């Protein structure tokens, strides 16, 4: 099936009240979005941005509650992902479309196509938290507030630290130090930015489902090896305390890393991600491949992300900001000092870190009710009112 013939996601796999459709003319994209609360004009808008390896579909369990509370909820498949992606992306493809400043342009064009000048909040999970943070940093006039989930957003560098911040992470001596450990290791960012990563993970729907089942399980609260704690510093020895889905055994692929850690029952007992739900992810990633989503990691490693943030040196997110993560999620701790910087430097109006019990990295999927309650409490106190009904 060619991209122009690809239909929206089947309503049969979506909760009641959520529709899937395409929005044309979005910065050169035919963007696939999920919407809830779309039937009533004048509602304040919420924009939900997914992470890796997720899709707009990852928000399916919180969208109905947000819509019920009176919001128009929009969750796009981001550039390179899901049905927004016209097809597989080559490793050699131009990285410029995947840079953070262009992902911001994607979002602004989507809002324009929807007739929106402002959103009550932009809410991002994992890599989507970086996009959401960048949106709030760059355009506070458009994004009234921000919720960052699972991945801290450290914001723009200060002007006096700008030059040092532009060194590409690929040149960080930490990579040689990790490789030199008695048990040689490699950081997953470096692996995901490599030419080998996407071919390692690509495959048929059955193969992709097997990989994703193990990957989702390994990073969830269901895996017993996820009792996270702050690390002592950015050293190879400290980073090696994290599970291998973050600090891998050198030379081992991600599928080989997570396969031994998959659920013993094959996922049959996973209530938060049933086989049918997993099949949605597997079908999409088998069609598009993983390289499009991985381009964001390449932009991080080659220094593009740092340069885009550097344009806003010494600026902070002005609007209200909240951080949410699962109790058993290593994500908040993988970069020592990031949580503290987010609260003291990146955000001018930081309202704290909220920990969700019974959740790992996939917090809005593992504990959707708790996440919905947190989001609605935040929105009622800090992002509500007629001024946002634009």
């Amino acid at each position: 099936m060619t991209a122009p013939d690809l239909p929206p996601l089947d309503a049969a796999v979506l909760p009641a009240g959520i529709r899937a459709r395409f929005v044309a003319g979005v910065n050169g994209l035919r963007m696939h979005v999920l919407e809830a609360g779309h039937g009533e004009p004048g509602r304040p808008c919420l924009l939900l941005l997914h992470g890796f390896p997720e899709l707009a579909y990852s928000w399916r369990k919180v969208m109905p509650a947000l819509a019920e509370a009176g919001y128009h909820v929009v969750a796009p498949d981001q550039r390179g992902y899901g049905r927004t992606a016209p097809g597989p992306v080559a490793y050699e493809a131009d990285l410029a479309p995947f840079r953070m400043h262009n992902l911001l342009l994607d979002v602004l064009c989507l809002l324009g196509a929807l007739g929106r000048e402002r959103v009550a909040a932009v809410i991002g999970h994992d890599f989507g938290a970086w996009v959401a943070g960048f949106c709030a940093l760059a355009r506070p006039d458009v994004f009234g507030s921000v919720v960052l989930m699972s991945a801290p957003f450290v914001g723009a560098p200060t002007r006096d630290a700008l030059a040092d911040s532009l060194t590409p992470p690929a040149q960080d001596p930490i990579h040689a130090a990790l490789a030199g450990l008695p048990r040689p290791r490699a950081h997953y960012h470096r692996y995901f930015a490599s030419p080998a990563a996407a071919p390692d993970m690509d495959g048929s729907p059955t193969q992709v489902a097997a990989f994703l089942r193990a990957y989702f399980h390994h990073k969830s609260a269901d895996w017993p090896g996820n009792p996270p704690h702050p690390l002592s510093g950015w050293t190879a020895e400290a980073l090696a305390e994290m599970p291998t889905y973050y600090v891998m055994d050198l030379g081992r692929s991600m599928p080989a890393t997570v396969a031994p850690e998959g659920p013993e029952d094959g996922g049959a007992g996973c209530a938060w991600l049933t086989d049918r739900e997993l099949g949605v992810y597997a079908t999409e990633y088998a069609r598009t491949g993983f390289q499009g989503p991985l381009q964001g990691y390449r932009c991080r490693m080659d220094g593009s992300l740092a340069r885009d943030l550097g344009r806003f040196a010494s600026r902070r997110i002005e609007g209200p900001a909240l951080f949410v993560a699962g109790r058993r999620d290593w994500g908040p701790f993988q970069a020592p000092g990031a949580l503290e910087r987010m609260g003291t430097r990146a955000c001018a109006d930081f309202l704290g870190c909220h920990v969700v019990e019974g959740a790992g990295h996939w917090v809005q999927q593992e504990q959707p009710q708790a996440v919905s309650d947190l989001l609605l409490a935040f929105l009622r106190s800090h992002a509500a009112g007629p001024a946002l009904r634009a």
Side-chain angles (χ1 to χ4, degrees), residues 201-288:
M201 295 184 285
D202 289 346
S204 69
T206 300
Q207 292 169 320
V208 173
F211 161 60
L212 289 178
R213 173 60 76 191
Y215 189 82
F216 281 128
H217 176 78
H218 200 185
K219 296 183 73 171
S220 75
D222 297 338
W223 190 65
N226 281 328
H229 59 82
L231 303 179
S232 60
W234 187 252
T235 66
E237 292 76 14
L239 295 184
E241 297 174 19
M242 289 192 289
T244 51
Y245 54 75
Y246 278 146
V247 182
M248 307 164 69
D249 287 318
L250 185 65
R252 198 172 195 189
S253 72
M254 187 61 80
T257 294
V258 301
E261 310 300 339
E264 293 182 1
D265 63 359
C270 186
W272 62 268
L273 186 64
T274 66
D275 283 343
R276 187 186 189 201
E277 292 170 324
L278 180 69
V280 174
Y281 290 107
T283 298
E284 297 302 293
Y285 279 96
R287 182 182 62 82
T288 65

Side-chain angles (χ1 to χ4, degrees), residues 45-61:
C45 184
L46 302 178
L47 182 67
L48 312 183
L49 302 176
H50 65 81
F52 175 87
E54 295 176 290
L55 302 163
Y57 186 69
S58 67
W59 298 105
R60 68 196 178 280
K61 296 184 178 184

